[in-house]
Amino acid sequence: MGFRVIKTAIAALMAVLVADGLGVPGPTSAGLLAILGVDVTRKRSIRTISARFFASVVGLLFASVLFDVFGFHYWVLALYILTAFPVIVRVGFKEGIVTGSVVVFRVFSEGVIDVEVLLTQLWLLLIGLGSAMVVNLAYMPRTDNTMLEIRQHIDQTFSVIFTRIAQTLRNPDDDWDGSEIIAADQAIAKGTSEAGRSIENQVLNPREDWKVYFYMRRQQLDSIQNMMQLISQMYLHMPQAALVAELFEQLSVDVVAEHYTGRTEKLLQQVDDQFKEMDLPATREEFEVRSAILQLSRELSQYLKIAKKDKAPAPVELKQAEA
C-alpha cells in the first residue's frame, strides 16, 4: 500500500467527518473532493488545490447563469463544457476542470439553483480541498536517505569507470563495454527527479544541495563521455598513457570522497610538467596517440574544475593532514 493511498484515506475520512459534523448536506461529496485534492508534493498541492477551488468557483458562475437561463436539461451540460472549459483553461486553472465539473454536475442533480445550493457547494469545496491541504502539508516522506543511496551508487559507479579507464590506458586491447556509463546516467536521472521532488516538498527556504550535486554529476558524466571518445583513438602502448592512467586510479579513490580533496589535481599538474619535458613524437602514429592523450588530460582538468566548483571542499584538518 503506497503512502499516497494512506494520505488519501485520511483526507477523505477527515472531510466526511467535518462536513457531517457541521451539518453540511452531502458530506460524502467532501470526501470525493478530498480524494481529488491529495497530491505528491507540498508545493504542487498548494498549486493544484488553488486551481481546483477557483476553477470550481468559475464553473459555478457559468453553471448558475446557464441553468437559470436554459433550465436543467442534459444539453445544457454540453453547453457548459463548451463555454466554461475554455475560460477555465485561459485563466490558468486547467488542473481544476475535473473538480469543477464534479461540483457543477452535483448542482445539476439537485435541479435547483439558489444561494443555499451555491453556499453548500462552496462549503463542500472548502472542507474537501481543505482536508486534502492539511494532510498534504502535515507530512511528506523525506527523501534524503533515498538520495544518499543514489549518490553512493553514482560515486561507486564513477569509481569503477575511472578504474576501467586506467586499465584501458595501460592496455588499449582491454575489452570494456562501458555499461557503467549507462548505469550512471540512469542513476543521475533518478537522483535529479528525487531532488526536484524534495524541493517541491520544502515550502519555505528550500535547500538545493542535492539538485546541485546531481547537476554536477550530469556535467561530469558528459565530460567522461568525451574522454571515452578520446580513449578510443589510443591504439598504441605509450608511456604517457601510463602516466595518465595513474591519474584515473587516483581519481577512482577521490570520487567516492565526500569532499573535494585536490589530490588528482596536484598529480595532474605534475604529469603536465613531465609531458613538457618529453621529446616530440617521432612518427605520425605516435603523434596521433599523444595528441589524444594530451586532450584527455585537458578533459580531465575540466572534469576536476566542475568538482572543485560544486563539490564541498575538504575540511581544514584533512588538508593539513594531506600536506
Side-chain angles (χ1 to χ4, degrees):
M1 182 184 297
F3 183 73
R4 186 175 180 181
V5 175
I6 298 174
K7 289 200 307 178
T8 303
I10 295 173
L13 178 61
M14 181 189 303
V16 171
L17 292 177
V18 171
D20 185 61
L22 294 176
V24 181
T28 54
S29 295
L32 175 60
L33 292 170
I35 292 173
L36 294 173
V38 174
D39 221 315
V40 293
T41 67
R42 289 189 174 100
K43 286 185 178 179
R44 181 173 173 179
S45 171
I46 294 172
R47 290 194 301 268
T48 56
I49 287 179
S50 298
R52 289 185 173 107
F53 178 79
F54 290 113
S56 300
V57 172
V58 173
L60 281 173
L61 292 175
F62 269 85
S64 298
V65 174
L66 293 175
F67 294 155
D68 186 58
V69 174
F70 300 108
F72 292 84
H73 306 287
Y74 291 127
W75 62 267
V76 179
L77 291 175
L79 182 60
Y80 161 77
I81 294 173
L82 291 173
T83 56
F85 280 21
V87 174
I88 292 174
V89 172
R90 182 174 292 275
V91 296
F93 303 140
K94 180 180 179 180
E95 292 177 311
I97 284 179
V98 174
T99 305
S101 299
V102 170
V103 174
V104 170
F105 277 54
R106 267 188 51 82
V107 172
F108 180 86
S109 65
E110 294 285 339
V112 178
I113 186 73
D114 55 26
V115 174
E116 183 179 351
V117 170
L118 294 178
L119 288 177
T120 297
Q121 299 308 315
L122 289 175
W123 269 112
L124 291 173
L125 278 169
L126 290 172
I127 294 171
L129 297 179
S131 298
M133 178 74 78
V134 169
V135 171
N136 281 332
L137 295 180
Y139 178 75
M140 283 286 181
R142 294 183 62 86
T143 58
D144 286 353
N145 290 337
T146 300
M147 289 187 289
L148 181 59
E149 292 176 0
I150 296 173
R151 170 177 179 162
Q152 292 171 345
H153 175 61
I154 293 172
D155 292 352
Q156 291 295 336
T157 303
F158 270 39
S159 179
V160 173
I161 290 173
F162 294 138
T163 300
R164 295 306 304 266
I165 288 177
Q167 294 173 354
T168 303
L169 287 171
R170 286 200 166 91
N171 179 19
D173 298 325
D174 184 57
D175 185 19
W176 177 36
D177 60 6
S179 60
E180 291 83 0
I181 293 179
I182 298 175
D185 180 74
Q186 293 173 341
I188 292 171
K190 182 178 179 181
T192 301
S193 176
E194 290 291 337
R197 183 178 302 176
S198 176
I199 292 174
E200 283 285 304
N201 277 327
Q202 301 173 53
V203 179
L204 301 176
N205 301 320
R207 295 181 57 189
E208 298 190 353
D209 304 27
W210 285 112
K211 181 180 179 180
V212 171
Y213 168 78
F214 291 117
Y215 178 72
M216 174 192 73
R217 286 305 189 209
R218 170 61 63 194
Q219 288 183 301
Q220 290 179 327
L221 185 60
D222 292 340
S223 181
I224 291 172
Q225 291 174 326
N226 293 335
M227 295 178 192
M228 296 299 296
Q229 295 178 5
L230 294 169
I231 292 172
S232 66
Q233 302 173 28
M234 302 177 193
Y235 50 87
L236 296 177
H237 293 272
M238 301 289 293
Q240 293 85 357
L243 289 174
V244 177
E246 294 179 12
L247 295 174
F248 282 99
E249 287 176 343
Q250 178 63 57
L251 189 55
S252 69
V253 176
D254 291 348
V255 73
V256 296
E258 187 173 347
H259 306 282
Y260 179 75
T261 66
R263 289 189 291 256
T264 304
E265 184 181 11
K266 294 178 182 178
L267 189 58
L268 175 60
Q269 183 59 53
Q270 296 173 10
V271 170
D272 284 342
D273 293 339
Q274 293 181 55
F275 280 178
K276 295 175 182 179
E277 298 174 357
M278 292 180 177
D279 295 333
L280 295 175
T283 65
R284 178 182 179 84
E285 289 78 10
E286 184 181 352
F287 173 80
E288 290 176 347
V289 175
R290 285 182 61 175
S291 176
I293 293 173
L294 182 61
Q295 292 180 63
L296 179 61
S297 67
R298 296 292 179 266
E299 191 64 49
L300 177 57
S301 177
Q302 181 62 32
Y303 171 95
L304 293 174
K305 286 180 181 178
I306 297 171
K308 189 174 184 178
K309 178 172 67 74
D310 292 327
K311 198 173 184 181
V316 175
E317 297 81 359
L318 179 58
K319 290 182 177 179
Q320 292 175 344
E322 290 174 354

